[in-house]
């Protein structure tokens, strides 16, 4: 698309080769978490609380311990007693101490010689509970007389007089809000709600762990980030980090949910207690839904002022988000994303992180942004409808651009929101005529992206092929994109590069594949490391030619004399340099370690067309368009895959996915049958437009693309349903029950 | 747990009658194996009926009706052209159960014996006037399908009583059936409400009708007063509206994670109306 100064003519970037890990994955040969086994291995199983909130009065596992084949049983007593702060929260969430805080909270774990025996042993463990009052809903938890989830949970930021369930408070803004609303021709406000959703990765959590009495151990685990696993397990179990070696398996999806620990410390503790035998734990789907980290539920007030021409004059939000029993909802990120797409003189943000008797929220694709987008983009759409303004034009009028000061502070460098809006407007989907009961919705979304701690190495093999070692597990095709960037850097074929994901002992600390960072950060680091090896190759060639190293340059896989003054030498290929390494100074390798900066912010705009069955409230998505700025699409197929995947998860969240709790505070739909992720036949083809406004701070212009795509679907679908029915739903999911009620009564669901 | 593979139904009955503890039967296993895996039940005896001769056969009887063996899979029904042409409503009910993989194993009889009020194939069988052959130590009896379920997960089959086959009556001209369900998604889901309608016409006027409602009570229910609204009528919008209201009125649903009582009462009327239209069109000979 857009060409500009940092556009080069690329040889490999922008092509679509097969992913290096593809063959193994489609033939079933790739090893995922549950595929790892070892000699003498035991199987672990976890006993979980059947109550939303209960005091654990006693645990008796005498009978269970006597079962044939049971080798170890652990409770909280087997963990360190001196943890505090975040490690204590991690430990509490891993295994309950005095109190079980949510339905599914781990109480005890067993290791036995078979899965069957381990599960039988769970049935023999006697736990005496005293059931305590619970709270599930975020607004209920905010009430002064709400059941207290955890005493003294609030930090310094919580204002006096708040509910004891408020864990933290955040407030920021700029400009004169009163003046801003005064300038508006219309001011509109609304209450919006979203329910908790799960990432729904297809691979349940699984790990195998081994830990000796002396604190030396190993772990094989399905994770987005094995250094995080190492760090958290070390903190929870009081181990020396370097003594624990963590190797990641292939990963069947994570979406943020596999950036923290759940079963991993249990497997380590069971191994230690059973005398160092390896212990494997594999979660069931029901355990995944009950006891891992779904995203927060949210209750949000929004107020926006707009002139009759469509200029946004001011905006206020108050977001209340429930992130489970230990806090940690993404309310801060949600606030940062709320008005990030728009130039607004006056904005004000308030946020509450609230506790409830639910599992501890983990990250989920652009954490917080989808909820914020739902509230803000829905209200803007209502105002566009009231004023009869084109929703894309209004967004274009207010869109942030290079140099804009974002609603949460930082000044934007080069960004592509305007280009993305323009591309969307020109797409045929925006002008297709709609029929009866059909409607079209437009919404924008934003994610800031993340760089993060990164450590990589690159080494030249003796035949001139290249090994790249990274620490970011490949979830969405990052091996392919990193291999393409490596091939581009050296000017050697894509197939001559092998990208390996290494264990924790082999590289410095790496943050997980999160924040849309793997291609951006590992790619940038690999570029730096590869250039070190190129410099070294040039030095060796210079020595051979007996000229200054500066007089040698690298092009298309060859060291060449820099010009006629350098001398008349025949270029030397990487193959030749590699074959002579042992004679010229030994192995050639490069490495790079840093906290990668210069992330490219990514904006997306979606258009959804829906049809609503007026008699049943059922919403059918007719067609769907994603346009997003990728900076540079290194491998366009995987960029499109990210766009489509984000859209599908957003569609699910908007229409049918939700955590359903009973009066008893227990999760009622802990299975994919009733936790309704869209199936393939629920979805139209998801059309995509890759907009390329290169990130000036990345050698190839890359922006993270993984997360932005989940934010716009929530409001885009709400806006489409409103257009189709003339009824506005302000509560997700827009399940048939809720839509039909809205059609009959006008109730917005809140 | 003991696993048995009897080679005749009388042997199966003998095993069942002499067994201690919980006995479960295995045909397709698409419910039983899942229940086993999640630990909902752990039978002491699992009797696999698939080795019994004839259980996977679809036979046309001399009286023109069909006998469908207890282990006939959904795919077998779908692929049977004549049966699908005569009883499209019954077959489409079965087809809605699970995925393609499930269809290659799941059976009508298993769906019936699982006892779910939301079972997709059961309303169609009842609307068709189907019976099941029940074998026990005292011989074989024929029981109406609607008399089998008694509540969620419960049937009135006693120890040593085993269903061997489903029997469908002869299909005549100007008859048609249909089954529709409501789910929030497009497949791989459980009926929030379901309705089967079977009609026979005389000069485009409804001569007989059977209407069966699913997932709006503790078991699949025959809605006789709703069917009576249709008699002597040729299904104009007015009658459809009366019929729809009647079905809503007869429905006694609960609120649960799959839908509210209010929603189910409303939507059963809509689905029943649409099913009646479809059955009527089929009876007329329209597609």
């Amino acid at each position: 698309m857009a060409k500009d100064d940092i556009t080069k003519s690329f040889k490999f970037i922008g092509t679509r080769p097969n992913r290096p890990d593809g063959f193994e994955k489609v033939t079933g040969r790739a090893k995922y978490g549950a595929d790892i086994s070892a000699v003498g291995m035991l199987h672990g199983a976890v006993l979980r609380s059947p109550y939303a909130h209960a005091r654990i009065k006693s645990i008796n596992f005498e009978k269970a311990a006597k079962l044939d084949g049971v080798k170890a049983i652990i409770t909280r007593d087997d963990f360190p007693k001196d943890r505090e702060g975040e490690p204590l929260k991690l430990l509490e969430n891993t295994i309950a101490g005095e109190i079980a805080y949510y339905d599914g909270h781990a109480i005890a774990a067993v290791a036995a010689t078979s899965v069957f025996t381990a599960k039988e042993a769970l049935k023999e463990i006697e736990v005496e509970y005293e059931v305590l009052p619970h709270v599930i809903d975020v607004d209920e938890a905010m009430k002064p007389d709400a059941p207290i989830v955890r005493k003294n949970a609030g930090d310094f930021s919580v204002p006096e007089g708040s509910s004891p369930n408020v864990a933290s408070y955040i407030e920021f803004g700029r400009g004169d809000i009163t003046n801003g609303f005064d300038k508006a021709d219309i001011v509109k406000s609304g209450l919006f709600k979203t329910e908790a959703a799960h990432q729904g990765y297809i691979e349940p959590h699984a790990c195998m762990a081994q830990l000796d009495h002396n604190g030396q151990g190993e772990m094989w685990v399905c994770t987005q980030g094995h250094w995080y696993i190492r760090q958290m397990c070390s903190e929870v179990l009081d181990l020396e980090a370097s003594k624990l070696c963590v190797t990641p398996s292939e990963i069947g999806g994570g979406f943020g949910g596999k950036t923290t620990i759940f079963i991993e410390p249990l497997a380590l503790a069971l191994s230690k207690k059973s005398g160092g035998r390896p212990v494997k734990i594999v979660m069931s789907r029901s355990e995944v839904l009950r006891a891992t980290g779904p995203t927060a539920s949210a209750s949000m007030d929004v107020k926006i002022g707009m002139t009759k021409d469509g200029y946004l004059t001011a905006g206020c939000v108050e977001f209340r988000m429930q992130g489970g029993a230990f806090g940690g909802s993404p309310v801060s990120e949600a606030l940062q994303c709320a008005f990030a797409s728009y130039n607004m003189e006056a904005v004000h943000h308030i946020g509450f992180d609230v506790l409830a008797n639910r599992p501890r929220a983990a990250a989920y694709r652009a954490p917080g942004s989808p909820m914020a987008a739902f509230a803000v983009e829905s209200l803007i759409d209502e105002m566009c409808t009231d004023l009869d303004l084109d929703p894309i034009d209004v967004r274009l009028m207010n869109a942030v651009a290079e140099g804009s000061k974002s609603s949460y502070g930082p000044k934007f460098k080069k960004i592509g929101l305007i280009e993305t809006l323009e591309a969307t407007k020109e797409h045929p989907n925006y002008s297709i005529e709609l029929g009866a009961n059909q409607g079209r919705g437009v919404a924008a979304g934003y994610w800031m992206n993340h760089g993060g701690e990164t450590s990589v190495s690159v080494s030249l093999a003796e035949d001139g092929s290249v090994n790249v070692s990274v620490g970011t597990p490949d979830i969405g095709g990052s091996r392919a994109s990193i291999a393409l960037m490596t091939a581009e850097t050296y000017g050697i074929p894509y197939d001559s590069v092998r990208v390996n994901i290494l264990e924790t002992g082999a590289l410095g600390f790496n943050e997980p594949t999160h924040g849309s960072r793997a291609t951006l950060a590992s790619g940038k680091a690999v570029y730096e490391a590869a250039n070190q090896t190129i410099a070294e190759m040039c030095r060796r060639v210079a020595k051979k030619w007996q000229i200054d190293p500066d007089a040698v340059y690298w092009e298309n896989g060859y060291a060449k004399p820099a010009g006629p003054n350098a001398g008349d030498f025949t270029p030397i290929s990487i193959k030749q340099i590699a074959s002579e390494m042992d004679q010229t100074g030994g192995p050639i390798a490069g490495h790079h370690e840093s906290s990668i900066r210069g992330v490219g912010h990514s904006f997306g705009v979606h258009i959804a067309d829906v049809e609503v069955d007026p008699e049943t409230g059922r919403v059918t998505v007719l067609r769907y368009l994603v346009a997003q700025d990728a900076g540079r699409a290194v491998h366009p197929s995987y960029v499109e895959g990210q766009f489509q995947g984000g859209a599908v998860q957003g569609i699910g969240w908007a229409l049918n996915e939700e955590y359903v709790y009973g009066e008893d505070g227990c999760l009622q739909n802990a299975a994919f049958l009733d936790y309704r992720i869209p199936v393939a036949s629920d979805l139209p083809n998801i059309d995509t437009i890759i907009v390329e406004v290169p990130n000036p701070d990345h050698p190839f212009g890359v922006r993270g693309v993984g997360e932005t795509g989940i934010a716009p679907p929530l409001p885009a679908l709400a806006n489409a349903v409103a257009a189709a029915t003339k009824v506005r739903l302000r509560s997700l999911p827009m399940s048939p029950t809720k839509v039909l009620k809205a059609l009959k009564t006008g109730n917005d669901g809140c | 747990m003991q696993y048995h593979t009897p080679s005749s139904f009388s042997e199966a009955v003998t095993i069942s009658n002499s067994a201690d503890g919980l006995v479960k039967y295995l045909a397709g296993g698409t419910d039983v194996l899942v229940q086993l895996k999640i630990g909902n039940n752990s039978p002491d005896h699992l009797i696999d009926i698939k080795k019994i001769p004839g259980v996977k056969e679809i036979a046309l009887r001399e009286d023109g009706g069909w006998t469908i063996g207890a282990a006939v899979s959904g795919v077998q029904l779908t692929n049977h052209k004549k049966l699908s042409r005569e009883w499209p409503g019954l077959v489409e009910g079965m087809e809605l159960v699970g995925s393609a993989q499930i269809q290659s194993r799941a059976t009508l009889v298993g769906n019936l014996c699982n006892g779910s009020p939301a079972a997709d194939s059961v309303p169609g069988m009842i609307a068709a006037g189907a019976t099941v052959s029940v074998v026990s130590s005292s011989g074989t009896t024929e029981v109406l399908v609607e008399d089998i379920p008694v509540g969620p997960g419960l049937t009135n089959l006693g120890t040593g009583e085993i269903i061997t086959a489903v029997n469908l009556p002869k299909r005549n001209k100007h008859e048609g059936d249909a089954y529709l369900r409501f789910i929030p998604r497009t497949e791989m889901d459980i009926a929030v409400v379901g309705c089967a309608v079977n009609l026979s016409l005389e000069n485009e006027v409804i001569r007989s009708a059977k209407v069966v409602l699913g997932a709006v009570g503790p078991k699949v229910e025959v809605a006789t007063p709703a069917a009576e609204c249709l008699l002597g009528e040729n299904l104009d919008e007015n009658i459809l509206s009366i019929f729809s209201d009647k079905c809503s009125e007869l429905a006694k649903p609960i609120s649960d994670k799959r839908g509210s009582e209010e929603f189910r009462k409303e939507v059963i009327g809509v689905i029943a109306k649409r099913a009646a239209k479809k059955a009527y069109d089929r009876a007329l000979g329209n597609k």
Side-chain angles (χ1 to χ4, degrees):
Chain A
M1 296 233 91
K3 299 276 180 203
D4 65 30
D5 44 304
I6 82 157
T7 303
K8 298 177 191 165
S9 54
F10 292 118
K11 203 167 169 185
F12 299 103
I13 286 174
T15 61
R16 302 173 185 244
N18 287 341
R19 60 197 290 168
D21 48 314
F23 184 78
E24 286 168 317
K25 284 179 176 168
V26 298
T27 53
R29 197 185 295 154
K31 283 196 165 54
Y32 289 85
D35 295 329
I36 313 293
S37 289
V39 174
M41 184 181 81
L42 301 173
H43 298 269
V46 183
L47 184 71
R48 298 185 179 279
S49 170
Y51 301 108
H53 198 190
R55 187 178 307 283
I56 301 164
K57 295 176 78 177
S58 68
I59 304 175
N60 183 346
F61 53 78
E62 247 175 66
K63 269 196 258 171
K66 282 180 190 153
L67 283 183
D68 228 14
V70 171
K71 300 295 179 187
I73 300 177
I74 53 165
T75 65
R76 182 62 173 274
D77 289 343
D78 295 283
F79 290 80
K81 310 219 168 3
D82 59 350
R83 305 290 91 183
E84 49 189 39
E86 178 60 19
L88 177 60
K89 285 187 195 171
L90 283 168
L91 172 58
E92 279 276 9
N93 195 41
T94 300
I95 187 160
E98 290 170 14
I99 292 173
Y101 288 109
Y102 54 91
D103 166 40
H105 198 170
I107 306 290
V110 176
T113 48
S114 74
V115 177
F116 183 79
T117 306
K119 284 186 177 168
E120 286 300 300
L122 294 185
K123 293 179 194 164
E124 300 297 330
I125 299 176
E126 293 157 4
V127 185
E128 199 185 340
Y129 295 98
E130 176 195 340
V131 178
L132 302 170
H134 64 270
V135 63
I136 296 295
D137 178 74
V138 63
D139 289 323
E140 291 297 320
M142 289 277 289
K143 289 180 179 166
D145 57 346
I148 298 171
V149 178
R150 275 175 45 247
K151 281 188 187 132
N152 307 317
D155 69 10
F156 65 92
S157 65
V158 179
E160 257 182 67
S162 301
S163 152
N165 293 323
V166 176
S168 68
Y169 173 85
I170 182 168
E171 181 175 354
F172 63 93
R174 68 155 181 248
D176 184 336
I177 284 291
T178 315
N179 185 36
F181 285 124
D182 284 346
K183 283 186 187 164
D185 294 308
I186 61 165
V187 175
K188 208 157 176 157
S189 60
L191 169 66
F192 296 84
K193 290 184 179 185
T194 61
E195 191 35 82
H198 196 274
Q199 298 85 351
Y201 31 80
I202 205 69
E203 185 191 6
H205 297 256
C207 69
M208 183 177 77
Q210 190 273 325
L211 183 62
D212 288 326
H213 65 284
N214 59 8
Q216 191 156 300
E218 283 193 80
M219 173 172 286
W220 297 263
V221 59
C222 165
T223 179
Q224 289 175 248
H226 33 306
W227 277 269
Y228 268 29
I229 297 287
R230 183 182 77 174
Q231 181 182 10
M232 292 175 187
C233 286
S234 303
E235 286 173 356
V236 163
L237 292 158
D238 196 13
L239 303 172
E240 216 170 359
S242 61
K243 284 192 180 166
L244 181 61
C245 176
V246 184
T247 306
S249 68
E250 292 299 335
I251 173 168
F255 312 107
K258 289 176 183 165
T259 55
T260 185
I261 51 167
F262 300 104
I263 49 174
E264 294 80 3
L266 299 177
L268 285 164
L270 283 168
S271 174
K272 189 177 176 186
K273 203 167 182 184
S274 64
R277 290 177 71 169
V279 175
K280 176 152 88 176
I281 302 182
V282 180
M283 272 187 158
S284 68
R285 180 62 59 188
S286 158
E287 285 181 293
V288 170
L289 288 165
R290 284 169 76 202
T292 62
T295 190
S297 63
S299 169
M300 301 170 286
D301 283 303
V302 190
K303 185 178 171 187
I304 293 172
M306 192 186 268
T307 68
K308 61 181 188 313
D309 304 325
Y311 284 102
L312 298 167
T313 61
C316 291
V317 289
E318 183 188 299
F319 291 173
R320 300 163 293 272
M321 289 191 174
Q322 164 287 128
F326 303 95
S329 74
V331 67
S332 166
E333 293 90 332
L335 294 174
Q336 289 173 38
C337 293
F339 296 117
S341 299
Y342 306 114
N343 281 311
M344 292 162 79
E345 271 175 35
V347 286
H348 191 237
H349 310 75
I350 291 175
F352 294 90
D353 181 23
V354 185
L355 306 190
N357 291 109
R358 301 205 199 193
R360 187 183 198 191
Y364 181 16
R365 207 168 197 157
S369 186
M371 300 84 144
F374 173 60
V376 170
E377 295 290 297
S378 291
L379 194 63
I380 288 177
D381 191 72
E382 288 183 42
M383 299 172 90
C384 292
T385 307
D386 289 352
L387 293 168
D388 196 22
L389 297 169
D390 179 275
I392 296 183
D393 287 344
V394 166
R395 285 170 174 88
L396 273 168
M397 286 162 64
N398 294 286
V400 286
E402 186 173 3
S404 300
K405 194 166 161 28
S406 70
S407 56
Y408 63 95
K411 204 179 216 183
F412 288 120
K413 289 194 176 178
K414 204 166 181 64
I415 50 171
L417 175 57
I418 288 172
E419 290 82 348
T420 306
L421 284 161
E422 282 168 348
T424 315
K425 202 175 176 188
E426 286 161 17
H427 193 276
N429 278 23
Y430 197 52
S431 49
I432 291 173
E433 216 168 290
L434 295 169
N437 303 314
Q438 297 181 351
R440 176 166 297 144
V442 174
Y446 165 73
W447 188 243
M448 57 284 278
N449 290 329
H450 182 60
E453 285 183 88
T454 307
S455 167
V456 304
S457 75
V458 172
S459 64
L460 202 57
E462 53 279 15
D463 60 358
S465 61
V466 170
N467 266 140
V468 177
S469 301
V470 299
T472 40
D474 180 359
I475 308 186
S478 58
R479 279 190 188 92
S481 64
I482 290 167
L484 283 167
M485 288 184 279
T486 308
E488 193 73 54
T489 307
Y490 284 105
I492 59 172
Y494 170 77
D495 288 336
S496 295
V497 180
R498 173 158 179 150
V499 180
N500 298 305
I501 294 143
L502 266 62
E503 41 92 359
T504 50
L507 292 169
F509 192 93
N510 273 282
E511 280 184 42
T513 298
H514 68 170
S516 298
R517 72 175 215 98
T519 293
L520 174 116
S522 289
K524 191 170 177 176
V526 166
Y527 172 80
E528 298 292 341
N531 275 312
Q532 288 172 8
T533 66
I534 287 172
E536 175 62 16
M537 287 191 282
C538 289
R539 265 194 297 276
R540 293 193 188 186
V541 168
K543 205 172 169 187
K544 187 173 186 165
W545 288 340
Q546 296 184 325
I547 61 173
D548 193 273
D550 288 345
V552 180
Y553 85 105
W554 190 264
E555 190 181 55
N556 282 334
Y558 284 84
K560 298 178 178 176
N565 292 343
D568 183 17
F569 299 105
T570 308
I572 301 182
S573 71
I574 190 169
K575 273 189 199 303
Q576 192 184 335
I577 298 168
S579 70
E580 295 168 353
M581 274 191 300
D582 57 337
Q583 310 293 320
T584 59
I588 296 176
H591 59 98
H592 179 86
E593 304 77 29
S594 71
S595 286
I596 299 288
R597 300 193 175 279
V599 299
H601 304 253
S602 185
F603 293 86
V605 180
H606 294 198
I607 304 179
D609 286 0
V610 304
E611 181 168 330
V612 180
D613 183 334
E615 290 185 312
T616 66
R618 196 169 176 287
V619 177
T620 303
V621 185
L622 301 171
R623 57 189 76 82
Y624 201 95
L625 173 69
V626 179
Q628 188 181 322
D629 177 15
R632 174 82 61 219
V634 175
H635 191 305
S637 297
Y638 300 136
V639 171
E640 288 157 3
Q642 291 292 336
F643 289 4
Q644 292 167 327
V648 169
Q649 289 190 311
I651 290 168
W653 197 346
L655 295 184
N656 284 306
E657 289 181 39
E658 65 178 316
Y659 266 49
V660 180
Y661 284 92
E663 289 291 311
D664 58 1
C666 292
L667 185 64
Q668 295 199 329
N669 58 337
F672 273 161
L673 182 59
D674 290 305
Y675 182 82
R676 294 190 171 102
I677 287 175
V679 296
S681 56
D682 293 340
L683 299 159
N685 183 47
I686 311 281
D687 299 313
T688 57
I689 307 173
I690 301 176
V691 177
E692 292 187 300
V693 177
N695 172 9
D697 291 327
H698 191 276
F700 302 110
V702 168
R703 296 175 194 275
V705 295
E707 289 168 287
T708 303
I710 197 175
L714 283 64
L717 283 161
N719 297 343
V721 168
T725 62
K726 314 299 171 218
V727 180
R728 173 63 60 171
L729 276 135
R730 295 187 185 85
S731 166
L732 297 184
M734 295 181 287
S735 60
T737 302
K738 228 184 260 174
V739 173
L740 191 62
K741 193 172 177 188
L743 292 173
K744 298 267 164 201
T745 65
N747 185 311
D748 68 4
C750 282
Chain B
M1 184 179 68
Q2 268 189 283
Y3 174 68
H4 307 270
T5 53
S7 53
S8 70
F9 276 107
S10 61
E11 192 189 335
V13 169
T14 308
I15 295 167
S16 178
N17 281 330
S18 59
D20 294 325
L22 183 64
V23 176
K24 285 273 173 185
Y25 299 95
L26 195 70
T30 55
D31 284 314
V32 172
L33 292 182
V34 175
Q35 289 160 4
L36 261 174
K37 193 178 172 195
I38 61 176
N40 274 6
N41 67 47
S42 40
D44 301 292
H45 295 272
L46 196 57
I47 304 177
D48 186 342
I49 62 155
K50 283 195 298 295
K51 302 280 189 316
I52 299 172
V55 291
K56 290 185 180 175
E57 278 170 24
I58 300 171
L60 185 60
R61 294 192 310 271
E62 277 185 11
D63 66 359
W66 296 94
T67 291
I68 302 165
V72 167
S73 69
V75 166
Q76 275 181 276
L77 289 179
T78 308
N79 289 348
H80 198 293
K81 283 190 182 139
K82 192 162 192 301
L83 181 71
S84 300
R85 205 162 47 236
E86 288 188 8
W87 297 100
L90 182 140
V91 173
E92 73 198 354
M94 187 64 213
E95 268 185 310
L96 289 173
V97 176
S99 60
Q101 291 92 329
I102 297 291
Q103 281 292 313
S104 67
R105 301 199 64 91
T107 66
L108 287 173
V109 172
N111 202 215
L112 175 63
C113 292
N114 190 47
S116 166
D120 284 311
S121 75
V122 176
M125 284 194 277
I126 296 175
T131 64
V132 286
S133 303
V134 179
V135 63
S136 69
S137 51
S138 51
T140 301
T141 52
E142 238 183 277
V143 182
L144 280 170
V145 172
E146 60 230 61
D147 291 337
I148 298 294
V150 291
L154 299 171
T155 67
N156 65 9
L157 294 167
T159 304
E161 291 187 329
I162 306 172
I163 296 177
T164 64
V166 177
N167 309 302
L168 291 173
K170 181 182 186 317
R171 204 47 157 161
N172 299 306
K173 273 192 174 171
H174 309 304
E175 294 181 349
D177 69 338
Y179 173 76
L180 288 176
R181 68 173 180 181
F182 180 83
I183 56 170
R185 293 185 285 193
T186 47
E187 59 178 341
M188 301 296 290
D189 220 327
I190 288 191
V192 178
V193 302
C195 177
V197 176
N198 185 25
L199 302 173
S200 67
L201 312 184
E202 211 171 86
N203 299 325
E204 303 193 358
V205 168
I206 297 168
R207 180 169 51 83
S208 74
K210 196 158 183 181
V211 176
V212 185
L213 309 180
V216 289
K219 62 187 182 79
V220 174
E221 287 284 1
V222 180
T224 308
E228 281 167 357
C229 308
L230 302 176
L231 299 179
E233 303 289 343
N234 58 4
L235 219 60
D236 57 26
E237 285 300 319
N238 184 35
I239 287 302
L240 277 171
S241 167
I242 293 169
F243 171 70
S244 170
D245 291 348
K246 196 73 194 170
C247 289
S248 290
E249 186 193 317
L250 291 166
K252 302 268 182 297
I254 55 164
S255 288
D256 67 9
K257 61 194 168 190
R258 293 181 186 137
S260 68
E261 180 188 343
E262 190 188 359
F263 179 80
R264 284 186 158 121
K265 264 184 107 61
E266 172 84 25
V267 174
I268 187 67
V270 175
I271 294 302
K273 182 175 73 178
R274 292 177 185 177
K277 253 193 220 168
K278 202 168 173 183
Y280 186 77
D281 280 348
R282 282 173 174 164
L284 284 175
N286 306 334
K287 271 277 165 181

